[in-house]
Amino acid sequence: MKPMALLALVLACATSVLAEPRHPLDPLSTHEYWEVFDIMKASGKLGPASRYSAVSLQEPPKAEVLAWTAGKTFRREAKVVVRQEGRTFEGVVDVAGKRLTSWKERTGVKANLTFTELSDAGDLVQDDPEWQAAMRKRGIKDFETLECFGSPAGYFGTAEEQAHRLERITCDERRGDSTPWGRPVEGVVVVYDLDAKKVLRVIDTGAVPVPPAGSGDYDAEAIGPERDIPSPIRVEQPAGPGFRVDGHEVSWQNWRFHVRVEPRVGLVLSLVRVMDGGKARSVLYQGSLSEIFVPYMDPSEGWLHATYIDAGDYGNAEGLLKPLERGTDCPSGAVYLDALIADERARPEPRPRSACLFERESGDIAWRHTDGPDAVVSRPRRDLVVRSVAVLGNYDYVLDWVFLQDGSFKVVVGATGVVAVKGVAARTAADTPGGTGDPYGRYVAPHTVAINHDHFFSYRLDFDVDGTSNSFERDLFVKKRTPEGNLRRSLWAVESKIAHTERDGMVDVMEHSEALLRVVNPAVRGPLGYPVSYELRPGHGASMLLDADDWPRRRAGFADHMLWVTPERDDERYAAGDYVTMSQGGDGLPKWTSANRPIEKTDIVVWYTFGMHHAPRAEDWPIMPTLWHELEIRPYDFFARNPALDLPRPR
């Protein structure tokens, strides 16, 4: 096939992602969204005030997907979450059968927030006289210069929270700035009842100066002359991409997988297999982001609620479906995947370029060896990257899956965007008592403090290493004293421990430095007699520092451990539970693992959490350089030898 014809085929396949499904795990198509819309309208379950918090694919049971072969029919179902008259309902729609098969009220939970509820915040408060008075106290008379944001209210066990579905609204002064994040109107927070559509109270903790205009700008005028790059680098693929996208199936060198983009969690990779001697061997049934927890560390009335559980709070409000910029977010030659999201009335809306795929060569070495001055053997490395970017308020998160040629792959998170700031009376840290600054943050601009905070990203990794019967093993590096008379005095050996129950599978940040963490298939032996496995190699991590009785920690209990292992259950997908908006804690992983279920020689899911403590610095302003964290997952006794030996010499 000619290069341009191959490129046209790849692009045609990639841009048809909203077409009718060909695989049980394909996302809902435009036609299917409208089918859900019509079926629900005809169901008799909706009222004039009914609104949807979510419409998403209800995946078929895992056993059905594994048994399915191309050409066979498969079930197509959608899950809907409907909010009406302060109550939350869940439904399952049989799309092909055109009927509502399940409808139940979910008591004790509050439906997740929608884009409209968060984005219309400014219109909700501006007629309130108490809010107006608070603005005028700060010298703000033209309310059209303000940009107001709704945000999740958190939960702290108060009577107000029991009776209302809340958001908190804060505002920034936009006059003189090109960004809405640099000039907070500090000390004014509106507590708003989303169901009753009214202001419950206005919190005013006292006026402080709005930070001066311009300090948060990053447009061309604010940045100044761009630096000179005398020798541009260009990466070109004249023959087109080295991968193929057929519908939602991706093939690249020895890797095969299915990819889709979902509103709540973004990229979902399924049926990840690696070719070995012409045979497709399973590694991962499914992997995706599960949850994000970002608690800020300021106890003041205007900030204590800022303890966001982002995927659950913002995911269905399109936070994880943001368009990628061609040539910058993804390089030239990248192939883009579009997505769909349902609005509050269940009408489908396109979200273009929600993910991309591209190859890269960074100059890294895949492998090399030197046997003499003229006997160098070396191979360059090439990766396949599957990327999406989540935009959750002020932060942008780059969420990558990176496939390597040696049978390894990586889960990578990059944090960038704008750090959250508050306005303060002192101009700089030097102007504070003792010159020590703010105990809960750091000055990044005049009258501007960036608040200390954490980021915890939980990933759900449903391993199927050569099949579904897997175990989790810790290989501990144990120091050994040699026998008397041996010239060596000490060494280390490996002692393996299989996790029998969920409690055995919990791993904390400080525990993995002297251990290997592996998912093993005890029933499949490699060529040298060892059970086949894949190793998890965590990078730098951070542990939870909040106390166990603190409400934010109780609500985001998945961050209590770096790693959890559970038996696979189709309905256990979100680490902090299905409903996190104003959740009361204990849901998700803490609840499931309280039964301490067996996890040996069974179908297991590994939940891995990246942890980052972020004490901001001046260099993080006005836009933070991307800070990267990664988890590498690599074969361990899975292959007979280095699977990248067959890489070609550079031409």
Side-chain angles (χ1 to χ4, degrees), residues 273-289:
R273 294 145 289 158
V274 63
M275 302 301 295
D276 182 19
K279 176 185 177 183
R281 300 176 65 186
S282 64
V283 177
L284 194 73
Y285 174 73
Q286 193 168 88
S288 71
L289 176 72

Side-chain angles (χ1 to χ4, degrees), residues 341-364:
I341 192 170
D343 68 11
E344 286 189 76
R345 298 180 184 273
R347 299 170 299 195
E349 295 182 352
R351 290 295 178 266
R353 304 189 313 279
S354 290
C356 70
L357 297 90
F358 60 90
E359 291 179 289
R360 69 180 178 200
E361 283 189 348
S362 62
D364 290 342

Side-chain angles (χ1 to χ4, degrees), residues 505-524:
M506 298 173 184
V507 180
D508 293 328
V509 170
M510 301 305 295
E511 293 179 336
H512 75 85
S513 60
E514 300 296 339
L516 297 176
L517 309 176
R518 294 192 291 136
V519 177
V520 179
N521 188 330
V524 179

Side-chain angles (χ1 to χ4, degrees), residues 45 58 92 230 255 267 391 428 489 526 542 645:
K45 301 295 186 182
Q58 174 92 342
V92 176
W255 286 104
L267 284 167
V391 181
T428 70
R489 294 292 182 262
L645 285 176

Side-chain angles (χ1 to χ4, degrees), residues 147-185:
E147 186 149 348
C148 300
F149 308 90
S151 63
Y155 182 84
F156 301 93
T158 67
E160 179 181 64
E161 292 164 328
Q162 308 300 320
H164 305 281
R165 182 167 169 268
L166 305 175
E167 72 174 356
R168 292 195 173 204
I169 299 172
T170 57
C171 301
D172 282 50
E173 171 66 85
R174 286 299 307 274
R175 187 187 296 277
D177 261 20
S178 61
T179 171
W181 302 108
R183 306 191 67 202
V185 181

